[in-house]
Amino acid sequence: MGESSFQSAIVAVLRPLEFAARDDFAKLDRVRDLERTVSVAAQRAAALAIPTDAKAALTRIAASFSETEAVDLVARMGEAIAVLREFARPEWSERQLASSTANLPGLGPKRAERLAQRGLISIADLLFHLPVRYDDRRSLQSVGSLEVGTRATFVARVLGCAFSMRRGRFRGRVFEALVGDETGTVTLKWFRSGDTISKQVRKDALLLITGDVKRYRFDKELAHPEISVLADGSSEPAAADDVRSVTPEYATPEGIHPRGLRRAIASAVERYSDLVPGHLPADLVAKFGLPEPGEALRELHQPALDVDAAELAAGATPARMRLVLEELYLLELGLALRRAQRAAEPGTPVAHGARTAAAARALPFALTGAQERALGEILADLGRAHPMNRLLEGDVGCGKTVVAYLAAVAAAENGYQSALMAPTELLAEQHEATLRALARAAGDAGGLRIARLTASVPSDEAARIRRALAEGEVDLVVGTHALIQESVDFHALALAVIDEQHRFGVAQRAALAAKAAHGNPPHTLVMTATPIPRTLALTLYGDLDLSVIDELPPGRSKTTTHLFRAGEGESVARLLRDATARGEQVYVVYPLVAESEKIDLRAASESTEKIRAAFPLLTVDLVHGQLDAAARNAAMARFASGETQVLVSTTVIEVGVDVPNASLMIVEHAERFGLAQLHQLRGRVGRGLAPGTCALVARGSSEDSEARLRALLDTTDGFAIAEADLKIRGPGEFLGTRQHGHLPDLHIADLTRDVRQIAIAREAALKTIRRDPRLHADPELARAVQFRWGDRLSLVGVG
C-alpha cells in the first residue's frame, strides 16, 4: 500500500541485493541467481512509464551485474543498493511528479511558463488534467454523409486552398480549403492561424479531419477543424488503424493550443504515470478489479481502440473508479482522523436533568418526532466529557431554534453559558425574539437570562451586557460578529450555536470557540436552514455528527407557488389586492447584487412608489441592507405589528424573518435568484393560519433559470430542492456561495456523480481507522493523507 508501480519494481530489485549483501554474497553459486533476479526486475522497472534517467540507471545496474566477476560483486552491489534506495524513497517520486513541465522533452521553458500561468504547473498537474470528453474517431464518415449539427471525423483530399478576405464588421484574412472524396466536397475555414495551417494544408494532401459540421448559406463547412496530414500528395497514406482513435479532449486554457496540450499530457503520461502511488486497500482493489494508478491514467488519457465509448463518456470505467476512490479514500481517512482527534479532546460534560425536561414540557406546542430525535442526539453528546461537534440540518420552518433553546437550558441547568452567533443583525434580532418567547412560555423551569450583543446595541448597553457575561449573569447571548471581540469574556461558556455557519470565516468561528470554559473546546452545534443532500453533507462535514429535522410542525399551512411572466402584472396585482383585503400582509422582494447594486436599489425604490400609487390605502415600507439598523428595525417592527401591509425588500429577509400574518411572497426577477434563495423566500409565508402563496415573476430566461423555476414549482420539499439545485449547478457552484470553506478541493471525483464511490471510500477508511486509529502501522499512508488534505482539514477542523 502506498507504493507506485515503479517503487514496487525497484523494491523487487533492491530486496534480493540487500539480502545478498547481508549474506555471504561472495559465494559463486549465488552470483548467477542474483544476476538473473536483478536483470528480470530491472527490465520490468525499465519497461514502466518512468523518467529516462531512472531507466538509464536501471539498465546500467543490470548490465554491470552480468559483466561482474565474483570478486567485484561487493563494490557493484554497494553502488546498486545506493542508487536503488534513492529510487525507492517516496520523496523521489514526489519530487519527480512535482517537477516543472519544462522537464518534458520538446516543451521548453516558454511553453511551460504558459501552462503554469494557467494552473498547470507540475507534471502531476498534467497527469490529473483528465479529459472532459472523448472524440470517437473509430468510425470514419464519407464526406457525402456529413450532417449539419454533428461532430464528424473523415478522410478527404485537398482539392484546392487559398486565402480570401472577410469583409464587413469582422474583416480579415481567412484561409479556406475545399476537400473531398468520391462522395462529395466540403469547405474548411480558419479565421485565425491561417499562415500556420497553410503550411500543412496543401493541394493534393490527404487529411484526417475532425470538427463540427455547420451550414453556411447553402453549403456545409467546418470552422477550425482539427487536422492530421496522412499524406502530402507524394507519399503513401497511413493505414486505417493508424488514423482511427478515441481521442481525448481537454479543457484547454486560453492561449494554449488543444493539440499542444494533448501532446504535453501524452508525454507526461508516457514518462511519469507509473510514479503515481496507490493507497487503496488491496482487498478493495481486488474486489472491483481496479488497475494500478499509472495504468488507470494511461487508459483515461490514451483509450484503447476497443474501449466502450459509452462507458468512457459516462465515467463508468474501472480506470476512473480507481482514481476517484484513491482521492475519496484519502479524504475520508483525513476526516476520520480529524473526528478521532476531536473525540479525544477534553470537553465540559453537560448533563440534562429535571429543569431541561420541565422546559420541554412547558413549550406551547409539542415537538415533532424529528425534533425529539435531534434533541436526544444533542443532549447525549452534551453529556459526554468530549466536545460535541454536530450539524443540525433542516428545512425552512422545521423548528431548529427550539432545539437549540433546550440545549441552552441544559447548559444553564449545569451553571454554564451558551452563545448563538448569527450572520446578520436581522437574524440575531429574530432569534432573540423567538428565544425570549420560548423562555417566557417555559416560566421558571426554562427561563433563561437572555441578552443580545450586536453592533447596533448602544455602547452603554453593550458594556453592561459584556459585564453581565463575564460575571455569569447571562445564560444565553445572541449576537453577530460582536460576540468574538476581544472585549467579550464569558464566565463559563460551554455551548456555541452557530447559525448559517457558511457565512462565517474560519477565524471567526475559532475565536468564539476560544472563549470556552476551563480552556476546553465548547460543545458546538452548527445549524443550517439550507438543506444539503445527506451524502454530500457527510463528505463536507465528515468531522461533524449529523442530525436532520426532516419533518415540519403540524399546522403549517401549505404554500402554493405560481409562475408569472413579464406582462402578467395585473394578475400579480390581483393577488396583492386579495391578500390585503383579507387582512393579510405581503412581501415584495427584489434581487440585490454587488455588480448592479445601485440599479437594483432604484428598482426596489421605484416599485415601492408604484405600489403606493396603485394602492393608496395601504401602508408600504421599503427595507434593504443599506438602511441603518435603527431604520431597518423600525420598518420590520411596523410590519411585524401589522401597521405596514406591504414590505418591499431586497433579500435581507431571506432567512429568519417570522411574521405569521404574511401570506403572499412576490419575487420580482425570479430568474436572477438561486434555487435555495427562492426556497428560503417562499418559506417566509404560510407560517400562520392563512395558507401561503409565492408568486415568482420571471422577466428573463435561461436554461438554468428555467430549470430552477421548474424545480420550485414541482415540490416544496427542501431536500428534494437541494438535490435539484445540486444537479443544475454541480457541487462547485452549489457549495461555493453557501458552504464556503467546506468544499473539498477534489480534482477527479464528482460529488453528484460519485455517490456510490463516496460510500465505498468512507467504509474502507473507517475499516482502516478501526484497525489502525493513528495510521502508525502505515506511515506512508499517513503521510499521503497529510500531504493531500492536511491544510484543508485544519480548516474543517474548527467546524
Side-chain angles (χ1 to χ4, degrees):
M1 203 188 308
E3 288 184 342
S4 65
S5 304
F6 173 65
Q7 286 172 323
S8 299
I10 289 296
V11 168
V13 186
L14 184 58
R15 280 181 181 159
L17 285 178
E18 290 178 326
F19 180 79
R22 289 193 300 269
D23 198 4
D24 184 6
F25 48 76
K27 287 183 179 177
L28 285 174
D29 59 343
R30 293 290 308 279
V31 175
R32 294 304 159 220
D33 289 339
L34 192 60
E35 176 192 325
R36 278 192 296 273
T37 301
V38 172
S39 178
V40 170
Q43 285 171 20
R44 177 189 160 201
L48 295 170
I50 55 174
T52 50
D53 57 342
K55 288 191 177 187
L58 291 167
T59 302
R60 283 199 304 274
I61 289 169
S64 67
F65 270 88
S66 63
E67 298 164 0
T68 300
E69 296 295 329
V71 70
D72 297 323
L73 194 58
V74 178
R76 294 289 190 198
M77 195 174 294
E79 293 168 9
I81 288 173
V83 172
L84 293 171
R85 277 181 179 162
E86 176 61 21
F87 286 156
R89 297 181 200 277
E91 298 91 334
W92 184 83
S93 289
E94 286 173 8
R95 284 197 304 273
Q96 297 291 322
L97 293 172
S99 63
S100 168
T101 58
N103 291 334
L104 294 171
L107 198 64
K110 284 188 178 179
R111 287 185 184 173
E113 178 61 28
R114 205 174 302 146
L115 288 171
Q117 288 171 355
R118 288 152 180 84
L120 299 173
I121 300 167
S122 66
I123 298 292
D125 291 334
L126 287 180
L127 290 176
F128 290 100
H129 190 71
L130 297 182
V132 292
R133 59 185 168 273
Y134 295 87
D135 249 346
D136 191 345
R137 303 179 181 179
R138 291 173 296 187
S139 299
L140 300 180
Q141 294 180 234
S142 64
V143 173
S145 68
L146 297 179
E147 292 184 15
V148 173
T150 63
R151 189 168 180 82
T153 298
F154 57 98
V155 173
R157 193 172 294 279
V158 179
L159 305 176
C161 53
F163 281 96
S164 63
M165 286 302 297
R166 182 171 42 166
R167 307 193 182 283
R169 189 173 163 195
F170 301 102
R171 62 183 57 193
R173 288 207 315 162
V174 181
F175 182 67
E176 298 185 31
L178 182 67
V179 301
D181 61 12
E182 62 276 9
T183 66
T185 61
V186 68
T187 302
L188 313 181
K189 289 183 180 178
W190 287 268
F191 299 102
R192 58 184 180 274
S193 306
D195 290 330
T196 303
I197 295 294
S198 65
K199 294 174 183 175
Q200 303 174 59
V201 178
R202 296 180 177 178
K203 192 172 184 310
D204 293 331
L206 190 66
L207 305 180
L208 175 68
I209 303 158
T210 300
D212 299 312
V213 184
K214 298 180 179 179
R215 185 174 298 286
Y216 178 67
R217 294 178 179 168
F218 301 106
D219 296 317
K220 299 172 187 175
E221 69 173 29
L222 287 82
H224 294 274
E226 186 172 321
I227 60 163
S228 296
V229 178
L230 303 180
D232 61 8
S234 60
S235 58
E236 288 294 316
D241 284 347
D242 293 335
V243 300
R244 291 187 173 91
S245 67
V246 178
T247 305
E249 288 199 2
Y250 300 93
T252 306
E254 189 179 348
I256 297 172
H257 195 280
R259 183 175 290 182
L261 178 61
R262 194 184 302 145
R263 284 175 182 155
I265 291 173
S267 180
V269 169
E270 181 187 346
R271 289 165 174 78
Y272 291 91
S273 57
D274 279 313
L275 295 186
V276 176
H279 300 285
L280 287 180
D283 59 341
L284 190 64
V285 173
K287 178 180 178 180
F288 292 103
L290 303 177
E292 288 295 310
E295 181 59 30
L297 285 167
R298 285 192 291 277
E299 288 179 21
L300 292 175
H301 286 294
Q302 301 162 352
L305 271 177
D306 60 353
V307 71
D308 184 324
E311 190 179 67
L312 191 64
T317 61
R320 185 178 179 277
M321 186 178 185
R322 174 66 194 247
L323 298 184
V324 166
L325 283 176
E326 285 285 346
E327 184 170 48
L328 291 174
Y329 178 60
L330 293 183
L331 171 63
E332 295 294 344
L333 278 174
L335 291 171
L337 287 169
R338 180 61 184 153
R339 192 165 176 163
Q341 180 183 327
R342 281 186 157 184
E345 290 176 338
T348 303
V350 173
H352 60 283
R355 181 179 168 187
T356 307
R361 286 195 301 272
L363 291 171
F365 49 81
L367 295 177
T368 65
Q371 286 173 314
E372 291 272 16
R373 183 181 66 240
L375 179 62
E377 292 165 347
I378 290 165
L379 292 178
D381 281 359
L382 291 175
R384 299 189 179 101
H386 302 287
M388 170 180 74
N389 287 283
R390 185 169 286 275
L391 173 66
L392 179 59
E393 179 186 0
D395 207 347
V396 181
C398 70
K400 294 180 293 298
T401 306
V402 68
V403 173
Y405 159 74
L406 291 171
V409 172
E413 185 176 6
N414 288 264
Y416 293 114
Q417 295 168 300
S418 303
L420 191 159
M421 191 160 73
T424 66
E425 290 206 16
L426 192 62
L427 190 50
E429 291 157 11
Q430 187 70 47
H431 277 312
E432 180 197 16
T434 303
L435 291 164
R436 286 190 185 279
L438 291 169
R440 279 194 302 273
D444 293 338
L448 293 177
R449 296 169 294 176
I450 298 172
R452 175 172 56 86
L453 190 59
T454 60
S456 65
V457 173
S459 57
D460 290 349
E461 175 69 4
R464 187 193 67 75
I465 293 170
R466 284 195 292 269
R467 283 195 301 273
L469 276 172
E471 293 169 10
E473 296 171 0
V474 171
D475 298 316
L476 171 60
V477 62
V478 182
T480 54
H481 304 82
L483 292 179
I484 60 176
Q485 292 172 347
E486 286 187 18
S487 58
V488 178
D489 290 311
F490 289 83
H491 178 70
L493 176 65
L495 173 64
V497 181
I498 299 173
D499 196 18
E500 298 298 328
Q501 83 146 0
H502 56 272
R503 301 190 181 195
F504 291 103
V506 172
Q508 293 163 334
R509 301 195 297 264
L512 180 61
K515 297 178 181 289
H518 314 309
N520 292 336
H523 297 286
T524 301
L525 180 65
V526 172
M527 300 197 304
T528 178
T530 305
I532 306 166
R534 181 177 179 83
T535 303
L536 196 56
L538 287 171
T539 302
L540 297 171
Y541 300 98
D543 60 333
L544 302 184
D545 294 302
L546 181 64
S547 291
V548 177
I549 301 180
D550 50 9
E551 181 182 355
L552 290 178
R556 280 294 300 269
S557 302
K558 186 178 179 181
T559 297
T560 56
T561 306
H562 304 282
L563 177 61
F564 298 94
R565 303 289 180 177
E568 296 184 274
E570 182 52 43
S571 299
V572 179
R574 191 179 308 117
L575 287 175
L576 189 153
R577 186 181 301 111
D578 292 347
T580 53
R582 294 190 299 268
E584 297 157 13
Q585 291 164 279
V586 179
Y587 294 108
V588 180
V589 178
Y590 273 78
L592 180 65
V593 295
E595 292 80 5
S596 56
E597 187 170 346
K598 290 181 180 178
I599 298 171
D600 290 339
L601 282 177
R602 187 166 66 245
S605 301
E606 289 171 358
S607 174
T608 305
E609 295 308 316
K610 287 178 181 177
I611 295 171
R612 283 174 180 156
F615 300 92
L617 299 180
L618 300 181
T619 304
V620 183
D621 252 343
L622 172 63
V623 173
H624 55 79
Q626 291 192 352
L627 284 179
D628 62 53
R632 188 172 68 242
N633 292 343
M636 292 305 301
R638 288 193 297 272
F639 190 67
S641 69
E643 182 183 340
T644 301
Q645 286 82 49
V646 179
L647 184 67
V648 181
S649 169
T650 60
T651 45
V652 294
I653 65 158
E654 177 189 333
V655 176
V657 176
D658 191 359
V659 179
N661 193 48
S663 66
L664 175 60
M665 169 68 68
I666 299 171
V667 184
E668 278 284 353
H669 290 285
E671 77 282 354
R672 291 176 55 188
F673 288 85
L675 186 48
Q677 270 186 313
L678 290 171
H679 180 60
Q680 294 280 352
L681 289 169
R682 180 169 63 180
R684 298 302 106 206
V685 294
R687 301 171 79 88
L689 297 176
T693 301
C694 180
L696 305 174
V697 184
R699 300 189 182 277
S701 177
S702 70
E703 187 177 338
D704 278 359
S705 72
E706 289 298 309
R708 290 196 296 273
L709 297 173
R710 275 197 307 275
L712 211 68
L713 292 170
D714 288 344
T715 181
T716 57
D717 181 342
F719 288 91
I721 283 170
E723 293 279 4
D725 200 11
L726 185 61
K727 287 175 183 170
I728 292 167
R729 297 200 286 163
E733 192 181 342
F734 174 85
L735 297 163
T737 55
R738 295 181 290 144
Q739 305 294 331
H740 183 66
H742 281 274
L743 177 62
D745 185 18
L746 296 170
H747 297 157
I748 301 163
D750 181 319
L751 294 179
T752 54
R753 181 162 63 171
D754 299 319
V755 172
R756 175 169 167 260
Q757 282 84 340
I758 292 171
I760 293 169
R762 184 182 301 114
E763 181 55 39
L766 292 175
K767 186 176 175 183
T768 299
I769 294 297
R770 283 194 292 268
R771 187 177 62 247
D772 184 7
R774 303 298 296 275
L775 298 184
H776 287 322
D778 195 343
E780 291 308 323
L781 182 58
R783 187 168 178 273
V785 173
Q786 180 61 35
F787 178 78
R788 180 69 178 89
W789 292 111
D791 291 343
R792 189 71 184 191
L793 291 174
S794 68
L795 299 183
V796 175
V798 293

